[in-house]
Amino acid sequence: MRLPILIINFKAYAEAAGRRALEIAKAAERAARELGVNIAVAPNHLELALVAQSVDIPVYAQGADVETPGAHTAHVAVDNVKEAGAAGLILNHSEAPLALSQLSRLAARAKAVGLDLVICAPDPDTSLAAAALKPHAVAVEPPELIGTGRAVSRYKPEAVVQTVEKVSRHFPDVAVITGAGIESGEDVAAALKLGTRGVLLASAAVKAKDHYQKILELAKPLAD
Amino acid sequence: MRLPILIINFKAYAEAAGRRALEIAKAAERAARELGVNIAVAPNHLELALVAQSVDIPVYAQGADVETPGAHTAHVAVDNVKEAGAAGLILNHSEAPLALSQLSRLAARAKAVGLDLVICAPDPDTSLAAAALKPHAVAVEPPELIGTGRAVSRYKPEAVVQTVEKVSRHFPDVAVITGAGIESGEDVAAALKLGTRGVLLASAAVKAKDHYQKILELAKPLAD
Amino acid sequence: MRLPILIINFKAYAEAAGRRALEIAKAAERAARELGVNIAVAPNHLELALVAQSVDIPVYAQGADVETPGAHTAHVAVDNVKEAGAAGLILNHSEAPLALSQLSRLAARAKAVGLDLVICAPDPDTSLAAAALKPHAVAVEPPELIGTGRAVSRYKPEAVVQTVEKVSRHFPDVAVITGAGIESGEDVAAALKLGTRGVLLASAAVKAKDHYQKILELAKPLAD
Amino acid sequence: MRLPILIINFKAYAEAAGRRALEIAKAAERAARELGVNIAVAPNHLELALVAQSVDIPVYAQGADVETPGAHTAHVAVDNVKEAGAAGLILNHSEAPLALSQLSRLAARAKAVGLDLVICAPDPDTSLAAAALKPHAVAVEPPELIGTGRAVSRYKPEAVVQTVEKVSRHFPDVAVITGAGIESGEDVAAALKLGTRGVLLASAAVKAKDHYQKILELAKPLAD
């Protein structure tokens, strides 16, 4: 996983459904090329293979349900995320919480098949537990700020700082990124100043009128 | 929903992952055209949009998690299934069981947005409960036969007959289809003779060496 | 199941935790004796055996997780509900939704071991599906009214009437009861007038200052 | 939490249902007194309050679902576990896996209300993540050995040793106990020799013909 990183989570937003997923992914690709920074897009499951075959930037899956392929109707297997063309996997987003033991198994499998692995957690203590599973990055996201436009890097900087401190003390190989409420390039810059190596965001990019311009703004601090 | 129907569920099989989903979908499309029958394919979430934009036969989603688009990381919304190009939706497969009240909500939404709706159930009593939600079809599938090669139409015909009897008595507008262990055209023919209007199957088609020939065999009884 | 019935759900309320569960159960017992009506109490799992050995009115479990005893840590088995001294079982409360197929299995087991069985559902269509599983009663409870003090029998009478109509047409042996927002004897009387055979309520009784007097008021309409 | 400890999990075993829960708890109490060691019993939810008011040894709940009391039908609240008379709480048993973020919240609440807290995990890596949440003890239990009679301390000693090593390096205040397949006093002694501070077991005690004698045998190594 190349750091610093900006990850754009499409969630299940209408604005990123169907063909619109391709448009946002291509805007992100253009911004990444323009700035020379690492931007990953995380389309909804429904558009994952479609997006992955259409852009050259890293595509991350928003989650996975089982480790390996098989008779798992309506489930996403880690191996199939890779097969569909993804380069990474986000696990345990606050909107898709995973049982600890299942998270542990999925994380091990993701690393085994060579996917970039980001595990989300809501606070410093839980982030430390997530870091113990040795992902490439832990994303600390206070759920009460997600989607509010009140950026974690401004409204809850102590959660970010404590996570960086705890994780780097115990598991220095695990990067810390953050998210929740990130709306502007300034919010991203503030997050990096707190010691994180990147940002995970969603609505700011997905719901922008001009995807390219907004992603450019959001990713700019990574180039500085 | 055009009846009779053959629905091919790709599950999370490795044999239907990534680009291979397209090959199987195209084989099904060719067989449907050749026989003039209705064959639907249900790719994994990861390939849904990709397959839906590539074939002209109905594409069904294997499931859905929430009714409407929004901030639902790693969840599939009914509306987005439609937006991704699907024509139908399978709910409550035994490998993806749904809470009754959630099933009720998702079913209502699927009908509201114009998706063909199939609800799966493991036995006659549960099928009657599923039929009360007024899907286009109920698929009765004894879980103990799924994936065994022992066809429900031969090894548990009474479950099929009782489902047809119960559902048609109370909810005559709901079609009954069946599945589990279906391996051959003969199994499909037997299922239709029991009063069903179609078959839901997976491994027989997905794991076949020659997808086109196998699907042709399986779908042939629908043309008779 | 003796009808009409008043069922008092203790939920996980602090006011009904520990020894306080016994006090409320004994108040209900006294009111039932005084009025000669059927009042059942549904204590939290933690106090079920304790309450069941202490009162003579029917004790119902608030739910169950598995059918039969065994290696199921932190799970409640239907058979053990009976063994603990309960006379009935509530399944699929909106706060404890069950997968349709699991609900079907638990319902069958509850009837097999001789427990009174109440299945909850949020609306008329889902209630019809619940009734198809042949419980002794379906409890229709619009979740948006639960705990509000706005009684379903006054604020959503059409949901109750439609449930009674649908269920009695298809499954006349299944009684319909109702709940949500029931606060007073008048609310209970109104529910009975809509064609129900009883009421399921919680906070009105559990949070009352004088449990005996409040339960007496709530149960009075059953005696009329 | 007094160490070393023997915890007897009653699961949902028929042999520990209803009044039989009291008999086993009293046998454990007698053995604890006889040996002067710490034995905790973890009855099923249904008998928790009943057992807690009947014995003087620590009673642990097998799990919890929500942090605080309220409108949570069929759910167990941490605070109510305490109110029912329990002294401790087991979380995340492999038969009752918890989402990481929920586990984190429940663990914090259990410590806040003064319950002894044991978090289970299936392997060394997951145990380290569990230990990051700072319970009094982590119980490492390879699920494939649970209930087999093949003791973890003999058949998978490396899992125990690695857990002790990892946890004590990062979180030295967290005790490690173990379980799975423990059948005899020798198995318990072997577990202690591997560096653990206690054992969590179930069927060996619950299904014994003579509960007192068997628990005496199992707890004896704690006195040595």
Side-chain angles (χ1 to χ4, degrees):
Chain A
M1 191 167 139
R2 185 180 144 213
L3 295 168
I5 190 169
L6 177 73
I7 306 174
I8 302 173
N9 178 2
F10 293 9
K11 299 197 175 182
Y13 285 128
E15 293 84 352
R19 305 293 304 180
R20 294 188 286 272
L22 282 183
E23 291 163 29
I24 304 176
K26 282 179 181 298
E29 182 182 44
R30 196 177 141 208
R33 198 175 294 144
E34 173 72 21
L35 294 167
V37 301
N38 189 22
I39 303 178
V41 288
N44 192 268
H45 290 335
L46 297 175
E47 288 89 15
L48 190 98
L50 182 65
V51 169
Q53 72 164 27
S54 309
V55 294
D56 281 331
I57 55 175
V59 174
Y60 282 18
Q62 294 179 13
D65 307 302
V66 293
E67 297 162 76
T68 49
H72 309 296
T73 299
H75 285 63
V76 166
V78 172
D79 292 26
N80 291 346
V81 162
K82 175 91 174 177
E83 187 71 26
L89 176 59
I90 299 166
L91 289 177
N92 202 46
H93 190 279
S94 68
E95 294 157 8
L98 288 168
L100 170 59
S101 50
Q102 175 70 347
L103 175 59
S104 181
R105 284 191 295 268
L106 295 173
R109 186 71 191 172
K111 289 184 287 181
V113 301
L115 289 167
D116 290 350
L117 176 63
V118 177
I119 302 183
C120 300
D123 54 55
D125 286 344
T126 316
S127 294
L128 183 61
L133 301 175
K134 310 286 174 63
H136 298 90
V138 164
V140 61
E141 291 205 303
E144 69 275 19
L145 295 180
I146 293 179
T148 60
R150 293 185 295 132
V152 61
S153 44
R154 291 158 173 262
Y155 286 80
K156 226 169 176 178
E158 73 284 3
V160 179
V161 169
Q162 284 174 27
T163 301
V164 170
E165 191 276 326
K166 279 176 195 266
V167 170
S168 62
R169 176 151 43 97
H170 283 289
F171 308 108
D173 294 341
V174 178
V176 174
I177 68 175
T178 193
I182 302 282
E183 287 282 300
S184 67
E186 286 180 11
D187 295 340
V188 173
L192 296 174
K193 265 196 199 132
L194 294 172
T196 68
R197 311 296 309 285
V199 161
L200 172 60
L201 54 79
S203 58
V206 171
K207 300 191 171 186
K209 289 222 168 135
D210 184 328
H211 295 119
Y212 171 68
Q213 287 299 338
K214 188 67 188 182
I215 297 172
L216 207 60
E217 174 201 335
L218 292 162
K220 187 82 176 23
L222 277 69
D224 295 343
Chain B
M1 191 169 140
R2 184 179 145 213
L3 297 169
I5 191 168
L6 177 73
I7 306 172
I8 303 173
N9 179 2
F10 294 9
K11 299 195 175 183
Y13 285 129
E15 293 84 353
R19 305 290 308 177
R20 294 188 285 272
L22 281 184
E23 291 164 28
I24 303 175
K26 282 178 180 299
E29 181 182 45
R30 193 175 145 209
R33 198 174 295 145
E34 172 74 22
L35 293 167
V37 301
N38 190 21
I39 303 178
V41 287
N44 192 269
H45 290 334
L46 296 176
E47 288 88 15
L48 190 99
L50 182 65
V51 169
Q53 71 165 29
S54 309
V55 294
D56 282 330
I57 54 173
V59 173
Y60 282 18
Q62 294 179 14
D65 307 302
V66 292
E67 297 163 76
T68 49
H72 308 296
T73 299
H75 285 64
V76 166
V78 172
D79 292 26
N80 291 346
V81 162
K82 176 92 174 177
E83 187 70 26
L89 177 59
I90 300 166
L91 289 177
N92 201 46
H93 190 279
S94 68
E95 293 156 10
L98 287 167
L100 170 58
S101 49
Q102 175 71 345
L103 175 59
S104 181
R105 282 190 296 269
L106 296 174
R109 187 72 193 170
K111 289 185 287 181
V113 300
L115 289 167
D116 291 349
L117 176 63
V118 177
I119 302 183
C120 300
D123 54 56
D125 287 344
T126 316
S127 294
L128 182 61
L133 301 175
K134 309 289 176 56
H136 298 91
V138 163
V140 60
E141 292 204 302
E144 68 275 18
L145 295 179
I146 293 178
T148 60
R150 293 186 295 130
V152 60
S153 45
R154 292 158 172 263
Y155 285 81
K156 227 169 174 179
E158 73 284 3
V160 179
V161 169
Q162 285 174 28
T163 300
V164 170
E165 191 277 324
K166 278 176 195 267
V167 170
S168 61
R169 176 148 46 95
H170 284 286
F171 308 107
D173 294 342
V174 178
V176 174
I177 67 175
T178 193
I182 302 283
E183 287 281 302
S184 67
E186 288 181 10
D187 294 340
V188 173
L192 296 174
K193 266 198 197 129
L194 294 173
T196 68
R197 310 297 309 284
V199 161
L200 173 60
L201 56 78
S203 58
V206 171
K207 299 192 172 186
K209 291 223 167 132
D210 184 329
H211 294 119
Y212 170 68
Q213 287 299 337
K214 189 66 190 184
I215 296 172
L216 207 60
E217 175 201 333
L218 292 163
K220 187 80 174 28
L222 277 69
D224 294 343
Chain C
M1 190 167 141
R2 186 180 143 214
L3 296 168
I5 191 168
L6 178 72
I7 307 173
I8 302 172
N9 179 2
F10 294 9
K11 299 196 175 183
Y13 285 128
E15 292 85 352
R19 306 290 305 178
R20 294 188 286 272
L22 281 183
E23 292 163 29
I24 304 176
K26 282 180 181 298
E29 182 182 45
R30 195 176 144 209
R33 198 175 294 144
E34 173 72 22
L35 294 168
V37 301
N38 190 22
I39 303 177
V41 288
N44 192 267
H45 290 334
L46 296 176
E47 288 88 15
L48 191 99
L50 182 64
V51 170
Q53 72 164 27
S54 309
V55 294
D56 281 331
I57 55 174
V59 174
Y60 283 17
Q62 294 178 14
D65 306 303
V66 294
E67 298 164 75
T68 51
H72 308 295
T73 298
H75 285 64
V76 166
V78 171
D79 292 25
N80 291 347
V81 163
K82 175 93 175 177
E83 188 71 25
L89 177 59
I90 299 166
L91 290 177
N92 202 45
H93 190 280
S94 68
E95 293 157 9
L98 287 168
L100 170 58
S101 49
Q102 175 71 346
L103 174 59
S104 181
R105 283 191 295 269
L106 295 173
R109 187 71 192 170
K111 290 184 287 181
V113 300
L115 290 167
D116 291 349
L117 176 63
V118 177
I119 303 183
C120 301
D123 55 55
D125 287 344
T126 316
S127 294
L128 183 61
L133 301 175
K134 309 288 174 61
H136 298 91
V138 163
V140 60
E141 291 205 303
E144 68 275 18
L145 296 179
I146 293 179
T148 60
R150 293 185 295 131
V152 60
S153 45
R154 292 157 173 262
Y155 286 81
K156 227 170 175 178
E158 73 283 3
V160 179
V161 170
Q162 285 174 27
T163 301
V164 171
E165 191 275 327
K166 280 175 194 265
V167 170
S168 62
R169 176 151 44 97
H170 283 288
F171 308 107
D173 294 343
V174 178
V176 174
I177 68 175
T178 193
I182 302 283
E183 286 283 301
S184 68
E186 288 180 11
D187 294 340
V188 173
L192 296 174
K193 265 195 198 132
L194 295 173
T196 69
R197 311 296 311 282
V199 161
L200 172 61
L201 55 78
S203 58
V206 171
K207 299 192 171 185
K209 290 223 168 133
D210 184 328
H211 293 119
Y212 170 67
Q213 287 299 338
K214 188 67 189 182
I215 296 172
L216 208 59
E217 175 202 333
L218 291 163
K220 186 82 174 27
L222 277 68
D224 294 341
Chain D
M1 192 168 139
R2 185 180 143 214
L3 297 168
I5 191 168
L6 177 73
I7 306 173
I8 303 174
N9 179 2
F10 293 9
K11 299 196 175 183
Y13 285 129
E15 293 84 352
R19 305 292 305 178
R20 294 188 287 272
L22 281 183
E23 292 163 29
I24 303 176
K26 282 179 181 299
E29 181 182 44
R30 194 176 144 209
R33 198 174 295 145
E34 174 72 22
L35 294 168
V37 300
N38 190 22
I39 303 179
V41 287
N44 192 268
H45 289 335
L46 296 176
E47 288 88 16
L48 190 99
L50 183 64
V51 169
Q53 72 163 28
S54 309
V55 294
D56 282 330
I57 54 174
V59 174
Y60 282 17
Q62 294 178 14
D65 307 302
V66 293
E67 296 162 76
T68 50
H72 309 295
T73 299
H75 285 63
V76 166
V78 171
D79 291 25
N80 291 346
V81 163
K82 176 92 175 177
E83 187 70 27
L89 176 59
I90 299 166
L91 290 177
N92 202 45
H93 190 278
S94 68
E95 293 157 9
L98 288 167
L100 170 59
S101 49
Q102 174 71 346
L103 174 60
S104 181
R105 283 190 295 270
L106 296 173
R109 187 72 192 170
K111 288 183 289 181
V113 300
L115 289 167
D116 290 350
L117 176 63
V118 178
I119 302 183
C120 300
D123 54 55
D125 287 344
T126 315
S127 295
L128 182 61
L133 302 175
K134 310 287 176 59
H136 298 91
V138 163
V140 61
E141 292 204 301
E144 68 276 18
L145 295 179
I146 293 178
T148 60
R150 293 185 297 130
V152 60
S153 44
R154 292 157 173 264
Y155 285 81
K156 227 169 174 179
E158 74 284 2
V160 179
V161 170
Q162 285 175 25
T163 301
V164 170
E165 191 276 326
K166 280 176 194 266
V167 170
S168 62
R169 176 150 43 98
H170 283 286
F171 309 107
D173 294 342
V174 178
V176 174
I177 67 174
T178 192
I182 302 282
E183 287 282 299
S184 68
E186 288 181 9
D187 295 338
V188 173
L192 296 173
K193 265 197 198 130
L194 294 172
T196 69
R197 309 296 311 282
V199 161
L200 172 61
L201 55 77
S203 58
V206 172
K207 300 192 172 185
K209 290 224 167 131
D210 184 329
H211 294 119
Y212 171 68
Q213 287 299 336
K214 188 66 190 184
I215 296 171
L216 208 59
E217 175 201 333
L218 291 163
K220 187 80 173 28
L222 277 69
D224 294 341

